[in-house]
Amino acid sequence: MPKRGAKPRRHASGLWEVRVYVVEDGKRVRRSFYGKTAKEAQAKAAEYQVKHRLGLIPKRDPRTFAEFAQAWLERKARVRGPTTIRAYERELRYLLPTLGNKRLQDIVPSDIRAALDALARKGLSPRSLRKVLERARAVFREALALELVARDPTAAVRVEVPSRPPVGRALEPHEVEALLAAFDAWPTWEVGMALRLCLALGLRAGEALALRWEDVDLEAGVLHVRRAWTAMGGRGVLTEPKTPSSRRSIPIPHATLARLRARYQELLELGIPPEELRLAWVFPGRTGGPLNPHTLGHALRKMTTRLGLPPIRVHDLRHTYGSLLLANGAPLELVAERMGHANPSITLGIYRHLLAHERAAWVVDPEELTSRPRGQA
């Protein structure tokens, strides 16, 4: 119970109040606790005093949620790519009107819930709400690790979302055949070949566009992913690959390798010195850098329309590559490595439906095992 002198009193609000005094940073300060009954107020005060004696009460910090979130973003910017940081900023920005000016240490679960409910009323989708909650949770987990808050107010808050449809669709064999022919027939070699690399090597669009000829080992038949070309602010920007594991080396299929070798030879015959060519973009645009990041999507939409195929995203080409690897018996770890996933669990989550179908074919009949003739010694 609170020490002597901490007698419950009626507050002007009608609640019961208990005042206790503690020493913080060498100063004696007062803390007030309220309850609908005197017993409730005393219990809150007693709990606080116990936690204070055990060193479980964080030191008072004046920073607001907006200030701490900005510092968190600046730290993340040192280890995350610009696209990821831009997404983090967008997700946290949703919370600033309701939580931005609140002191970080004063935010409680009901504040988080109220902020999310307000966003839902404005039309934010459940999936976007979940992203916002994930980002708030990351901020408060760091504050908890730094002992700036006593608990994470997001821990008990949940956002229900509808079951997620497949992240992409794997193309049917006839669609692959038609698209490969369309890639070769496209009037701009750069566009057709970049799309082919997304399908034949599982590259992300930005990874394909950021290739220099030095990244393509035409002798060994290996392509090295070292950077990405990302749309940002209406223009392309060179960035680090999405994750450290996105830096990878991928064997180039024979048909694709033959087309790359032929193109390289054409450029040499135009008189470009090899030392200059190796630093040139494989898929140059008109402004000195790679092609516009949106070019591949526009071209693919035109191709599918002309072919009478259902809508296909550039990312579906990459998804088809992963699906084909698994369908042909490639181990999960190898598929994760080729796709540049941070770990095989990501690959498993994306391609779980394919793996479930594959595993269903594995049946062991113990009666067959016991009925087999035993080998002679």
Side-chain angles (χ1 to χ4, degrees):
M1 293 295 289
K3 293 181 181 178
R4 219 172 93 189
K7 187 176 179 180
R9 66 174 71 187
R10 279 284 188 180
H11 189 260
S13 63
L15 297 174
W16 286 92
E17 177 189 12
V18 172
R19 297 177 178 179
V20 296
Y21 293 85
V22 293
V23 176
E24 293 180 2
D25 297 326
K27 297 179 181 178
R28 189 169 181 262
V29 295
R30 188 185 77 188
R31 296 282 177 258
S32 294
F33 300 89
Y34 302 92
K36 292 180 180 179
T37 65
K39 188 175 181 180
E40 181 184 352
Q42 285 181 309
K44 288 181 179 180
E47 180 185 6
Y48 175 85
Q49 287 182 305
V50 170
K51 287 183 176 181
H52 188 273
R53 283 197 298 272
L54 295 175
L56 300 177
I57 302 297
K59 290 184 179 180
R60 193 166 179 82
D61 192 302
R63 281 179 291 182
T64 63
F65 175 81
E67 291 168 339
F68 187 80
Q70 181 59 38
W72 179 86
L73 276 170
E74 290 170 3
R75 286 190 289 274
K76 288 297 177 184
R78 301 180 198 131
V79 294
R80 297 284 188 273
T83 304
T84 300
I85 294 301
R86 191 169 56 166
Y88 288 177
E89 288 175 339
R90 181 177 63 251
E91 290 151 9
L92 287 171
R93 198 179 303 126
Y94 282 119
L95 293 170
L96 297 184
T98 50
L99 300 180
N101 293 327
K102 282 182 175 287
R103 204 165 62 89
L104 186 76
Q105 293 178 332
D106 291 340
I107 295 174
V108 295
S110 60
D111 294 325
I112 303 294
R113 180 75 272 167
L116 294 174
D117 288 345
L119 291 172
R121 286 192 294 272
K122 290 180 179 179
L124 205 64
S125 72
R127 297 192 191 284
S128 295
L129 288 174
R130 177 172 281 184
K131 283 291 185 184
V132 171
L133 178 59
E134 285 176 5
R135 215 53 54 220
R137 186 163 289 150
V139 170
F140 277 104
R141 280 179 178 170
E142 176 152 320
L144 188 63
L146 296 174
E147 298 184 358
L148 295 176
V149 294
R151 63 171 178 170
D152 173 8
T154 70
V157 180
R158 297 287 181 270
V159 173
E160 297 292 332
V161 300
S163 58
R164 178 181 286 275
V167 294
R169 75 178 185 92
L171 306 184
E172 298 295 331
H174 74 276
E175 293 177 311
V176 171
E177 184 179 7
L179 282 175
L180 287 173
F183 296 161
D184 286 341
W186 193 253
T188 309
W189 180 90
E190 289 81 2
V191 172
M193 181 54 66
L195 287 169
R196 174 181 275 271
L197 292 185
C198 294
L199 178 59
L201 284 84
L203 298 187
R204 300 176 177 94
E207 294 172 344
L209 294 180
L211 289 170
R212 298 182 188 272
W213 281 106
E214 66 177 355
D215 302 320
V216 186
D217 189 332
L218 296 173
E219 292 298 319
V222 176
L223 183 146
H224 305 284
V225 177
R226 294 175 173 137
R227 66 193 75 81
W229 183 244
T230 307
M232 191 174 295
R235 61 190 181 90
V237 176
L238 276 179
T239 66
E240 289 293 310
K242 187 174 182 181
T243 64
S245 54
S246 294
R247 288 180 171 271
R248 61 200 190 278
S249 299
I250 312 169
I252 307 172
H254 294 300
T256 300
L257 181 60
R259 286 166 171 77
L260 288 168
R261 284 173 173 167
R263 180 65 172 184
Y264 189 79
Q265 189 60 39
E266 288 175 10
L267 295 173
L268 287 177
E269 291 173 2
L270 289 175
I272 303 175
E275 60 273 15
E276 290 183 17
L277 183 54
R278 63 190 296 272
L279 296 176
W281 302 112
V282 178
F283 308 119
R286 297 177 180 176
T287 58
L291 287 170
N292 184 293
H294 301 294
T295 301
L296 301 189
H298 293 324
L300 187 57
R301 282 192 289 276
K302 290 181 180 179
M303 291 180 194
T304 53
T305 300
R306 292 175 186 176
L307 294 170
L309 297 176
I312 297 171
R313 304 171 307 158
V314 176
H315 200 76
D316 292 333
L317 304 179
R318 169 175 160 83
H319 186 70
T320 299
Y321 172 81
S323 300
L324 289 173
L325 280 178
L326 287 169
N328 284 277
L332 181 64
E333 291 78 9
L334 182 140
V335 179
E337 179 184 309
R338 294 277 180 88
M339 300 293 286
H341 289 156
N343 57 66
S345 66
I346 296 174
T347 314
L348 178 62
I350 295 172
Y351 298 102
R352 189 180 300 275
H353 60 295
L354 286 177
L355 292 169
H357 177 74
E358 181 182 286
R359 287 196 295 267
W362 286 89
V363 179
V364 175
D365 189 338
E367 292 178 334
E368 284 188 7
L369 295 176
T370 56
S371 64
R372 290 176 186 169
R374 296 186 181 184
Q376 297 296 318

